[in-house]
Amino acid sequence: MGEAKRRQQTGAPAPRPNAKRGGGRAWIIVGITVVILGIGLALLTAPPSPTSDELPVASEDTPPFPAQLDEFGISTGPADATVVVREFADYQCPACGRFADATERLRKEYVDTGKVRFVYFDLPLQQHANAVPAAMAARCAGDQDAYWPMHERLFAEQSQWSEAEEPLPLFTGYANDLSLNARRFNTCMTTDLHQEAIGQSRQAAVSLRVTSTPTVYVNNIRLTNASWAQLSAVVERELKAASN
């Protein structure tokens, strides 16, 4: 039966013998495009080499970071570490919240392994009404040996308490989750026990003319991009330099 006669009798359209082959080619093209895009994204997001000229450096006349200011921050890691990372941050600052994953990774990979010391300075900004109470919550938890767990919780739950009219009940809930003595924690909070210490930390930032958060130093080198990629690359470079 001829094709024209078959279609006339059955009403069926003519078959498309090349449709499957063309569809296969299309999927191959899509696959190649995805691979190319993936490679491009990997190149764009890969950490810079510790020897990269794009990394920030301190000029020859840059003085050492005034280590005496560290007493106003919260430190973790070996006191004699050759590389010290210092962060000036605000618990209510969204950019600080995004950078918190980098500092948590820093503590796990470099501080806990004894390579680096980390110092966190409170720099609560005036436009953030809950920044000081949050800093207080971290330090009150620190009185019960839970500073860093509370520190991580505050950043993880930033969106929950950031705009709360009264954040204390939320902070108390975090303290309960950490198995802290709730009465002791609440007394610390309601008496503003660490108000002076937070003020001293802020004054340390003022003395260095640090006005934005997060501001991060690796030894006396101020990062130009608060990211894990730049932070880890500069740390690696400074560790290598210290070992030579």
Side-chain angles (χ1 to χ4, degrees):
M1 180 185 297
E3 179 58 32
K5 190 174 181 180
R6 186 190 69 80
R7 279 187 289 167
Q8 185 177 9
Q9 292 181 358
T10 64
R16 300 174 61 187
N18 294 325
K20 185 174 182 180
R21 183 182 302 175
R25 254 197 315 267
W27 280 111
I28 292 173
I29 293 172
V30 170
I32 293 173
T33 302
V34 169
V35 170
I36 292 173
L37 289 174
I39 293 173
L41 181 62
L43 291 174
L44 288 173
T45 59
S49 165
T51 59
S52 172
D53 292 336
E54 297 178 0
L55 294 177
V57 296
S59 61
E60 292 183 0
D61 58 348
T62 301
F65 188 96
Q68 68 271 17
L69 295 179
D70 287 352
E71 66 175 293
F72 303 122
I74 304 296
S75 302
T76 181
D80 60 348
T82 56
V83 175
V84 183
V85 175
R86 298 171 174 94
E87 179 188 9
F88 292 83
D90 172 328
Y91 282 106
Q92 198 174 343
C93 155
C96 299
R98 291 189 293 271
F99 187 63
D101 287 342
T103 55
E104 183 177 352
R105 187 171 174 181
L106 176 82
R107 292 199 306 276
K108 290 179 179 178
E109 296 186 18
Y110 291 95
V111 178
D112 293 347
T113 55
K115 299 176 182 178
V116 169
R117 183 161 63 91
F118 177 63
V119 188
Y120 180 88
F121 290 88
D122 288 307
L123 179 52
L125 304 178
Q126 292 183 351
Q127 65 265 35
H128 291 154
N130 290 340
V132 170
M136 190 80 68
R139 290 180 181 251
C140 288
D143 292 342
Q144 300 186 51
D145 300 321
Y147 178 86
W148 295 110
M150 180 63 83
H151 174 95
E152 293 174 6
R153 184 69 183 271
L154 288 169
F155 278 126
E157 304 290 353
Q158 187 186 74
S159 61
Q160 183 182 50
W161 58 262
S162 183
E163 302 301 326
E165 291 186 9
E166 179 48 71
L168 180 56
L170 292 170
F171 296 157
T172 301
Y174 304 157
N176 289 333
D177 291 344
L178 295 173
S179 300
L180 303 186
N181 183 306
R183 182 175 180 180
R184 182 181 174 188
F185 178 82
N186 281 317
T187 298
C188 177
M189 292 291 295
T190 56
T191 59
D192 294 333
L193 185 62
H194 295 289
Q195 185 77 38
E196 182 178 356
I198 294 169
Q200 290 174 327
S201 178
R202 177 190 275 156
Q203 190 56 43
V206 171
S207 70
L208 294 168
R209 299 182 180 179
V210 173
T211 58
S212 61
T213 58
T215 293
V216 183
Y217 288 86
V218 178
N219 290 339
N220 66 338
I221 303 163
R222 185 167 174 166
L223 297 191
T224 55
N225 176 19
S227 65
W228 171 250
Q230 189 175 98
L231 173 62
S232 59
V234 175
V235 165
E236 286 289 347
R237 185 187 65 192
E238 295 304 297
L239 284 171
K240 185 176 180 179
S243 66
N244 291 337

